[in-house]
Amino acid sequence: MTILVTGATGTVGRQIVGQLVAAGHRVRALTRRPEQAGLPAEVELARGDLSNPASVEPALEGVTGLHLITVDGEGVLQTGEELVALAKRAGVRRVSVLSGWEESSVERALNASDLGWTWLRPVEFMANATEWAEEIRTEGKVRLFGNEPSAAVHEADIAAVAVAALTQDGHAGQSYLLTGPEALTATERIECLATAIGKPIEVVHLTEAQYREQLASFGFDEGYIDFAIHLGANPPEIGKHPAPTVAEVAGRPGLTFAQWATENAKLFQA
């Protein structure tokens, strides 16, 4: 069978493509810029844009499994109904969806269809730590506001659950909350990064006023700044507690942040 992966050049999409190829599946990757995809040679590249369903139709030919995302470069997708209709017409049987916390047109259309869908609902990505990379490389420090624990999930674990949903029976109709195996504060994650790069990293805790000033200096408006302050001080409770989903679905323990830090150490080294 052929599996079509949309968002194939993204943080999670690349992992899905790689894991499917490693397992011997035939993979087609949808991207707006195939010439820049940088995906394994075994992958068939297809040019298309989810916000333009007509451009996606040729890529669905012969596809039985489909991984969908719910956003494009402009924001939340509004074309879910058209995309799902095309998928059904093409004979797609299994669909995994990298979902946000608010229902998009993609989820609504799949809910109204008879396709076998699986929602992937990750909490914070471990890859979000890359926002600290420049500070660590250039100054050896990280400025933080808030230090609540987070059960951040490795992008490879999100992909492993997607691969299971796309290639195995028993996942249709499931909504999977995806977390890492432990909840770590930001300072604990920074300690993991320091170990990975073999250098100490200074942590500077910002007051709310200092954080507001920092965000304003980056050009963010007041609405975004208020949101960021609230999120830093009061992150969603659901993201603080490890869930067993990855181990149950992927059949192996979830990957730790220390493992992520070791894999990505070069991003934090000068």
Side-chain angles (χ1 to χ4, degrees):
M1 64 179 182
T2 297
I3 298 173
L4 178 64
V5 179
T6 70
T9 60
T11 302
V12 175
R14 284 187 182 277
Q15 289 280 349
I16 295 173
V17 168
Q19 291 183 31
L20 286 169
V21 168
H25 296 286
R26 185 180 301 140
V27 181
R28 187 176 297 152
L30 188 80
T31 172
R32 287 176 290 181
R33 291 177 288 275
E35 64 280 358
Q36 299 175 20
L39 293 169
E42 301 94 326
V43 177
E44 179 187 351
L45 299 176
R47 187 183 302 274
D49 185 337
L50 292 174
S51 63
N52 177 14
S55 73
V56 180
E57 186 171 12
L60 283 164
E61 183 177 352
V63 166
T64 54
L66 171 64
H67 174 72
L68 282 173
I69 55 177
T70 60
V71 296
D72 63 8
E74 303 301 318
V76 178
L77 281 171
Q78 304 300 316
T79 54
E81 185 174 351
E82 296 95 322
L83 293 169
V84 169
L86 289 173
K88 185 173 180 178
R89 192 180 310 150
V92 170
R93 297 196 300 272
R94 295 176 178 143
V95 184
S96 64
V97 183
L98 185 60
S99 296
W101 293 101
E102 295 185 7
E103 189 178 63
S104 74
S105 66
V106 173
E107 286 103 341
R108 287 194 296 273
L110 284 168
N111 266 324
S113 78
D114 57 1
L115 294 179
W117 51 259
T118 305
W119 306 154
L120 313 176
R121 299 194 183 280
V123 297
E124 181 182 3
F125 288 15
M126 289 184 184
N128 288 359
T130 56
E131 69 185 20
W132 299 329
E134 184 175 358
E135 277 186 300
I136 291 173
R137 286 195 306 266
T138 60
E139 301 180 64
K141 68 174 63 173
V142 175
R143 297 167 180 83
L144 288 178
F145 174 73
N147 196 34
E148 293 293 316
S150 169
V153 61
H154 197 301
E155 50 270 24
D157 284 345
I158 304 170
V161 174
V163 169
L166 290 167
T167 62
Q168 302 170 9
D169 292 332
H171 302 288
Q174 298 296 315
S175 178
Y176 288 136
L177 173 67
L178 304 180
T179 77
E182 58 191 351
L184 300 178
T185 63
T187 53
E188 289 171 329
R189 281 178 280 165
I190 291 166
E191 288 171 7
C192 291
L193 289 169
T195 299
I197 66 175
K199 291 182 179 180
I201 300 171
E202 180 186 357
V203 177
V204 179
H205 291 280
L206 301 178
T207 65
E208 179 178 329
Q210 289 172 326
Y211 190 44
R212 284 185 179 277
E213 183 178 352
Q214 181 188 64
L215 292 174
S217 73
F218 295 155
F220 293 114
D221 61 31
E222 283 299 317
Y224 178 87
I225 292 172
D226 288 342
F227 171 76
I229 293 290
H230 176 76
L231 189 62
N234 303 284
E237 193 67 26
I238 197 170
K240 299 180 183 180
H241 306 287
T245 315
V246 169
E248 291 172 352
V249 177
R252 59 162 177 77
L255 300 169
T256 66
F257 187 80
Q259 290 171 290
W260 186 94
T262 299
E263 294 166 9
N264 294 277
K266 64 182 180 181
L267 300 176
F268 302 86
Q269 294 169 326

